[in-house]
Amino acid sequence: MDNQKATLELGTKPVGQLLMRYAVPAIIAMTASSLYNMVDSIFIGQGVGAMAISGLAITFPLMNLSTAFGAGVGVGASSLLSVKLGQKDYGAAQNILGNTVMLNIITGISFSIISLLFLDPILMFFGASAQTLPYAKDYMEIILCGNVITHLYFGLNALQRAAGKPQLSMYMTIFTVVLNAILDPIFIWPLGLGIRGAAYATVLSQLFALIWQVVMFSNKAEFIHFKRGIYRLKSQLVKNIIGIGMSPFSMNVCACFVVIIINNSLVDHGGDMAVGAYGIINRIVFIFVMITIGVNQGMQPIAGYNYGAMKFDRMMRVLKYAVICGTCVTTVGFIVGQFFPEQCVRLFTSDETLISLSVHAMRLTTVSFPIIGFQMVVANFFQSIGKAKVSVFLSLSRQLVFLIPMLLVLPTLYGVDGVWYSMPVADTISALVTAIIMYLFMRKINKQKTI
């Protein structure tokens, strides 16, 4: 099926079938992506040690900041592409591809240069101690050198999905996971590269996937493909891409600052081991977050296309299905976090102190997980239909408006447990605010349908 036929079906085929077709590959891809990060952590924890896990956790803010720029371009471009295809503006769709490539190259290289120049003070600011700094630095030096590869890979992956190629997008992600899982133990043990080996495995697996993507997009038979004249940055397209991408950008920047506060608070109240516990929990719950993101990615082209085509019934139907799916996913995360935390934690470490800290923290942080799915889906929905300001606000409310104040107050009252309490409290308040905004939007849509 060519891209043009695939995109036209977004406005005609049953919504449930479309969501399954787009979401299942995205869910598989996101599950694989979360396993990608999890594999790194498992091999680092078992092959290098408990302190290396803490060092890896220190890198999360910088990784989130890098992801913010990549997501700002990739998600913004893919959302805009879906809307343009819904409007049948194929010339603009072609230029979005070229502009996405150039923006990813510019942001990827710029971020790497600045970060490498100030890497030590950045990591110290993020909560690194004398014990964890060497591990964090060794890992991030390699990751930052390959940062432009990561940006291009994720950007093109998002465009493939939006252009009607969700299965190819899934295959790319699975390929990187499998290759990373093969390279990780080879680089860490036989080659003796330690935590740097895990970083090499990550960059190389993405490089090979990027080469595959370039070959695919070079095929002139594809509806959206590389050609001359599409790489010159167009101010209106760049403005729209950045405007829509501000939501994921803001979310990841906020995540960066939140993790900085969490890491420093954990060091103050619980030491380096508490930071390691947070790193393990992050990797475990990340699976359920990424699966929900997969649901969102499946919803995004359907919602964006039908909004652009003014087919509001279909748009609201796909939102309803996505909310149900997202809520089911995060409810499973709640069950795992409450009843099977020890089994999960032991995958990463055999250190009994770290296991005990992680199990206790996981039970506290996942208590509100059932409602997170709803909040994530609705925030992404507004992004998908180009309502950037609403999406940015909902993303910020969860991480900035509510979580940071909790992180500043509760640890002073409850110590390290206050850090863990902050997350479910903020999630609950944010979900309530999201429900109110969604109710007001639905009333507005219903009025439009009656006119």
Side-chain angles (χ1 to χ4, degrees):
M1 181 185 296
D2 60 41
N3 295 76
Q4 188 168 8
K5 184 179 178 181
T7 53
L8 289 173
E9 288 183 346
L10 292 171
T12 57
K13 277 203 166 185
V15 169
Q17 291 181 21
L18 284 171
L19 184 59
M20 287 290 291
R21 180 183 157 207
Y22 278 81
V24 170
I27 288 169
I28 293 172
M30 290 301 99
T31 304
S33 181
S34 62
L35 292 175
Y36 183 92
N37 294 307
M38 195 171 178
V39 164
D40 263 2
S41 298
I42 289 173
F43 281 120
I44 288 170
Q46 299 290 355
V48 186
M51 199 55 65
I53 286 283
S54 297
L56 186 64
I58 293 298
T59 69
F60 289 170
L62 194 54
M63 298 283 279
N64 283 335
L65 197 55
S66 174
T67 301
F69 287 95
V73 175
V75 177
S78 62
S79 296
L80 183 61
L81 181 63
S82 294
V83 173
K84 292 300 181 183
L85 291 173
Q87 296 171 342
K88 298 181 176 57
D89 188 351
Y90 302 127
Q94 192 72 58
N95 282 309
I96 287 170
L97 171 61
N99 278 228
T100 301
V101 170
M102 295 308 299
L103 285 172
N104 275 317
I105 290 174
I106 293 168
T107 57
I109 293 176
S110 301
F111 185 87
S112 294
I113 292 172
I114 294 170
S115 298
L116 285 169
L117 285 174
F118 303 99
L119 188 56
D120 278 18
I122 288 172
L123 292 174
M124 292 295 287
F125 177 69
F126 289 169
S129 66
Q131 290 72 37
T132 58
L133 180 62
Y135 294 108
K137 185 178 179 181
D138 283 350
Y139 187 78
M140 282 310 303
E141 282 177 342
I142 307 303
I143 294 296
L144 288 169
C145 285
N147 190 53
V148 68
I149 295 171
T150 302
H151 280 211
L152 285 168
Y153 160 65
F154 282 113
L156 292 179
N157 195 270
L159 291 184
Q160 283 177 326
R161 189 169 48 253
K165 297 284 186 179
Q167 288 188 331
L168 182 58
S169 176
M170 174 189 72
Y171 295 146
M172 294 290 184
T173 305
I174 293 175
F175 171 76
T176 60
V177 174
V178 173
L179 185 58
N180 185 57
I182 294 171
L183 295 178
D184 257 336
I186 295 174
F187 287 165
I188 290 175
W189 281 295
L191 297 182
L193 295 174
I195 197 169
R196 294 177 73 89
Y200 280 123
T202 296
V203 173
L204 284 175
S205 60
Q206 291 175 349
L207 174 61
F208 285 115
L210 177 60
I211 293 170
W212 185 6
Q213 288 173 326
V214 170
V215 172
M216 294 293 101
F217 275 108
S218 298
N219 184 358
K220 294 182 179 180
E222 291 293 327
F223 182 52
I224 304 294
H225 62 271
F226 295 136
K227 64 179 183 180
R228 289 184 179 181
I230 65 172
Y231 304 103
R232 183 177 178 181
L233 294 178
K234 297 183 180 295
S235 59
Q236 190 59 44
L237 280 183
V238 171
K239 180 180 177 182
N240 289 336
I241 288 171
I242 294 174
I244 297 172
M246 278 303 295
S247 175
F249 175 82
S250 301
M251 184 171 61
N252 281 286
V253 169
C254 284
C256 170
F257 287 113
V258 167
V259 175
I260 292 170
I261 295 172
I262 290 173
N263 281 345
N264 280 283
S265 187
L266 288 173
V267 169
D268 291 340
H269 297 282
D272 289 331
M273 280 295 193
V275 176
Y278 177 60
I280 290 173
I281 294 165
N282 238 351
R283 292 311 192 199
I284 296 170
V285 302
F286 197 58
I287 294 176
F288 303 100
V289 170
M290 290 298 279
I291 294 173
T292 307
I293 291 174
V295 174
N296 287 340
Q297 290 179 349
M299 172 189 69
Q300 179 258 315
I302 307 168
Y305 185 99
N306 285 284
Y307 180 76
M310 298 188 72
K311 297 182 178 181
F312 298 130
D313 285 338
R314 292 174 59 81
M315 178 192 72
M316 294 306 297
R317 203 175 306 134
V318 74
L319 172 62
K320 181 180 76 172
Y321 294 156
V323 166
I324 293 171
C325 291
T327 301
C328 288
V329 170
T330 53
T331 299
V332 173
F334 165 79
I335 293 170
V336 171
Q338 296 301 311
F339 300 105
F340 308 101
E342 185 171 347
Q343 292 88 333
C344 295
V345 170
R346 287 191 179 275
L347 291 172
F348 295 84
T349 183
S350 56
D351 187 290
E352 291 300 328
T353 301
L354 185 54
I355 290 170
S356 177
L357 284 169
S358 301
V359 168
H360 173 68
M362 191 170 177
R363 285 200 172 103
L364 294 180
T365 55
T366 58
V367 72
S368 66
F369 239 56
I371 60 175
I372 291 177
F374 161 78
Q375 201 278 342
M376 289 181 63
V377 170
V378 173
N380 184 266
F381 165 75
F382 284 110
Q383 171 190 299
S384 300
I385 63 173
K387 301 289 185 182
K389 290 181 180 178
V390 179
S391 183
V392 168
F393 171 74
L394 292 178
S395 299
L396 290 177
S397 69
R398 185 179 171 210
Q399 298 188 81
L400 185 65
V401 179
F402 303 125
L403 182 53
I404 289 182
M406 294 297 106
L407 286 169
L408 295 175
V409 174
L410 294 183
T412 62
L413 301 174
Y414 303 104
V416 70
D417 277 355
V419 180
W420 310 130
Y421 293 148
S422 300
M423 302 173 202
V425 171
D427 287 337
T428 302
I429 299 171
S430 180
L432 290 172
V433 172
T434 301
I436 293 170
I437 291 176
M438 190 65 230
Y439 171 74
L440 295 174
F441 176 78
M442 289 175 65
R443 285 185 59 184
K444 183 178 178 181
I445 288 295
N446 288 332
K447 286 181 180 179
Q448 285 185 283
K449 289 192 294 186
T450 57
I451 294 174

